[in-house]
Amino acid sequence: MVVQEFTVDLNKPLVFQVGHLEERYQEWVHQPIVSKEGPRFFGNDVLEFLTRTKWWAVPTIWLPVVCCLLVKSILMGHTVQDVAMMALFGIFIWTLIEYTLHRFLFHIETKTYWWNTAHYLLHGCHHKHPMDSLRLVFPPTATAILCFPFWNLVAFFATPSTTPALFGGGLLGYVMYDCTHYYLHHGQPSKDPAKHLKRYHLNHHFRIQDKGFGITSSLWDAVFGTLPPSMTSGKKN
């Protein structure tokens, strides 16, 4: 008896289908479908709503939080200059987190039902439908949940008065990352560095998906040897 291979029906909610692809999932998810309209994830309307986020929600929600955190460190005795330096350091650390998450978590290879399902929700959906404008930035609810462990991590290494500024800088780095990511997909930059970053990121989506993990810069790709081949040879993408 011949067992027919499972195929994904793009006209039905996708999340609980993709796991059935098993070992074929990686090949499937890295064959992008370029469409302005994204697929439906869930049959449940509430869950579906929670997966869709307008890009402007990110700065609208999180920039006031950043400001409050920076002011808190100032009120706890630090100068504006000191807080600015701590915030810049937080942004710098975020760029490393951005690279690390993208390379080692978002691009983890999966082949079982639940791991495929989790990966699709986390990042696979973005590679399958890279122009889905409502699933380009991280949902605020998920960001809020992740803020707790990241805050505790910063607090473990920093003092009570420097933690808000450092965390605020990291959070600002995240906002810059998400807004940049959206712009690289839907903006039309005419000048560098934005034009270069757009080429660099779309190269990651459509040509060499295991290189070029940086979004806001190629710094850590250069440090860790994951620049696309054309860049390592000194050519433009």
Side-chain angles (χ1 to χ4, degrees):
M1 180 179 179
V2 178
V3 178
Q4 187 175 1
E5 286 189 336
F6 179 82
T7 56
V8 173
D9 186 345
L10 296 174
N11 295 313
K12 296 180 180 179
L14 293 185
V15 168
F16 295 120
Q17 290 191 69
V18 298
H20 293 295
L21 291 169
E22 297 181 338
E23 293 183 354
R24 293 180 294 117
Y25 167 75
Q26 289 296 322
E27 180 182 1
W28 176 85
V29 83
H30 289 108
Q31 295 173 346
I33 297 174
V34 180
S35 172
K36 291 184 179 180
E37 293 187 7
R40 188 172 180 92
F41 274 21
F42 295 101
N44 181 280
D45 289 338
V46 175
L47 291 177
E48 182 68 12
F49 172 78
L50 291 174
T51 69
R52 297 173 179 265
T53 307
K54 296 281 190 179
W55 75 267
W56 46 259
V58 172
T60 300
I61 293 171
W62 296 115
L63 285 182
V65 177
V66 170
C67 292
C68 289
L69 290 167
L70 300 183
V71 169
K72 185 175 182 179
S73 279
I74 293 172
L75 294 176
M76 294 177 78
H78 292 282
T79 66
V80 172
Q81 292 83 354
D82 287 343
V83 169
M85 292 302 296
M86 286 185 278
L88 286 173
F89 183 70
I91 293 172
F92 176 73
I93 293 299
W94 164 259
T95 64
L96 179 58
I97 294 172
E98 167 196 316
Y99 173 87
T100 303
L101 289 176
H102 192 187
R103 179 180 178 183
F104 295 107
L105 180 61
F106 294 176
H107 279 266
I108 189 173
E109 292 193 2
T110 61
K111 59 182 179 180
T112 62
Y113 178 85
W114 286 112
W115 280 115
N116 287 349
T117 302
H119 180 268
Y120 182 78
L121 277 170
L122 182 66
H123 192 63
C125 59
H126 177 54
H127 269 266
K128 189 64 181 178
H129 298 271
M131 303 308 290
D132 183 349
S133 63
L134 294 178
R135 295 193 177 98
L136 262 171
V137 299
F138 214 55
T141 303
T143 304
I145 293 171
L146 290 174
C147 277
F148 287 99
F150 276 110
W151 171 273
N152 289 330
L153 181 63
V154 175
F156 180 79
F157 290 102
T159 65
S161 63
T162 60
T163 295
L166 290 169
F167 185 82
L171 188 59
L172 179 58
Y174 156 71
V175 172
M176 295 166 63
Y177 151 78
D178 243 354
C179 292
T180 299
H181 190 202
Y182 184 90
Y183 182 68
L184 296 183
H185 279 267
H186 292 281
Q188 298 297 329
S190 58
K191 297 180 180 180
D192 289 336
K195 187 176 181 180
H196 165 76
L197 280 176
K198 183 179 177 75
R199 287 197 307 266
Y200 187 80
H201 186 59
L202 295 185
N203 181 69
H204 168 74
H205 272 282
F206 296 104
R207 291 183 58 210
I208 308 173
Q209 297 177 350
D210 61 349
K211 302 288 184 183
F213 297 104
I215 306 297
T216 53
S217 82
S218 57
L219 169 64
W220 298 110
D221 284 308
V223 171
F224 294 113
T226 52
L227 286 171
S230 58
M231 291 198 68
T232 58
S233 62
K235 299 177 182 178
K236 287 187 176 181
N237 291 327

